[in-house]
Amino acid sequence: MPRTKTLFLVAAAAGLFGCAHAGVKKVSDCGEVPVEQRLQCAACTVQNDVPGAGSGYEYRPDNDPSNRCVKL
């Protein structure tokens, strides 16, 4: 039983850390990206607040700098 519990905890922790670098879809969440990327994050995600814009954008801080603002 202890081994199963340990494996569960390791898997849960891996899931949490894997989500830490997920894409950002709201301007208010840009505070979670590195300081030097916050302005770019806000410029990318503010497009999601435009009514009738259709598909949204996601800022991915781990992507190549030329491809961080991704259209969904």
Side-chain angles (χ1 to χ4, degrees):
M1 181 81 165
R3 183 174 180 182
T4 306
K5 193 175 191 178
T6 303
L7 290 175
F8 174 76
L9 291 174
V10 170
L16 288 175
F17 289 115
C19 294
H21 295 287
V24 177
K25 295 180 184 175
K26 293 190 290 186
V27 175
S28 61
D29 294 336
C30 287
E32 299 173 9
V33 302
V35 174
E36 62 275 3
Q37 295 181 22
R38 290 182 183 168
L39 182 61
Q40 295 167 343
C41 177
C44 176
T45 55
V46 75
Q47 301 174 73
N48 294 335
D49 295 336
V50 177
S55 62
Y57 287 84
E58 183 175 71
Y59 186 78
R60 297 182 182 166
D62 294 336
N63 277 11
D64 182 80
S66 65
N67 190 32
R68 288 186 177 148
C69 188
V70 179
K71 187 173 184 174
L72 301 176

